[in-house]
Amino acid sequence: MKKSLLLCCFTLLFFSTVKSQTVPQKYKDLLQKLSKDISEKDPGTNLISFAKTMIGIPYRYASSNPSIGFDCSGFVSYVFKNFGISAPRSSSEFIVSGTPVKLENVKIGDVLVFTGSNRRVRRAGHVGIVAAIKGDTIQFIHSSSGKANGVTLTTLNPYYKSRFMKAVSML
């Protein structure tokens, strides 16, 4: 975000002060480097930054409205929609959406699909977005009807690992 702002400011300032059609090569190189740095940034980072602004919004069954709350898939679809990415509105639809990813290869911004609260019923019932990866520890952001009762960050702990079904990339 800071680099984008810097690039925009630099571009506006530079081109508003240049009187001739000739742009010095050192400025062209700097502009190209800034553009490349921004485009290579992990696309999931902005997605998660936006998602984190909603931490604490309460859980609300069948809702994708931040003014009243989110259910899990409502939260995930709302976050992706903000970036122009089409995502399912139902957690069960994530099983057949996106590109499958092995859990050991997930990236920030990938979607984790879980069973509902009964892990013995192997049917999708909950989703969250990978928010951080530190070594073997994965943290995801989701709207939970459990103890947190709303949008929260959770570590992929043994409880969620037992419910894990699939990871998919929507990016």
Side-chain angles (χ1 to χ4, degrees):
M1 181 78 162
K2 289 179 184 177
K3 285 186 179 182
S4 296
L5 187 56
L6 177 64
L7 179 61
C8 288
C9 290
F10 176 77
T11 304
L12 287 172
L13 180 64
F14 177 75
F15 286 109
S16 67
T17 59
V18 172
K19 302 223 186 305
S20 70
Q21 295 294 334
T22 309
V23 178
Q25 187 61 42
K26 68 179 182 179
Y27 293 115
K28 285 181 182 177
D29 293 344
L30 179 59
L31 200 55
Q32 185 176 11
K33 181 184 181 326
L34 286 170
S35 296
K36 185 178 179 192
D37 288 349
I38 291 167
S39 66
E40 288 179 352
K41 188 174 184 179
D42 178 17
T45 302
N46 288 336
L47 188 99
I48 294 304
S49 293
F50 175 71
K52 285 181 177 180
T53 67
M54 291 175 269
I55 290 176
I57 292 178
Y59 180 86
R60 176 88 179 238
Y61 179 75
S63 176
S64 59
N65 182 342
S67 299
I68 60 173
F70 294 110
D71 67 5
C72 64
S73 58
F75 170 69
V76 172
S77 66
Y78 180 83
V79 169
F80 279 97
K81 186 177 180 179
N82 185 70
F83 290 88
I85 300 166
S86 179
R89 179 54 192 89
S90 167
S91 55
S92 61
E93 293 174 24
F94 278 95
I95 287 292
V96 294
S97 298
T99 304
V101 179
K102 290 184 179 183
L103 187 58
E104 59 269 14
N105 296 329
V106 295
K107 294 181 179 155
I108 293 173
D110 287 345
V111 177
L112 302 178
V113 183
F114 303 95
T115 66
S117 56
N118 183 349
R119 67 178 184 250
R120 286 183 231 120
V121 178
R122 301 304 292 175
R123 184 174 54 237
H126 189 66
V127 290
I129 307 169
V130 175
I133 303 166
K134 295 174 185 157
D136 290 338
T137 304
I138 297 171
Q139 190 178 49
F140 63 101
I141 188 166
H142 59 129
S143 185
S144 172
S145 62
K147 192 176 184 179
N149 197 35
V151 177
T152 189
L153 287 163
T154 303
T155 299
L156 187 61
N157 56 39
Y159 172 71
Y160 279 102
K161 282 182 182 177
S162 72
R163 293 175 52 196
F164 176 76
M165 293 184 72
K166 185 177 186 178
V168 295
S169 174
M170 302 300 293
L171 301 175

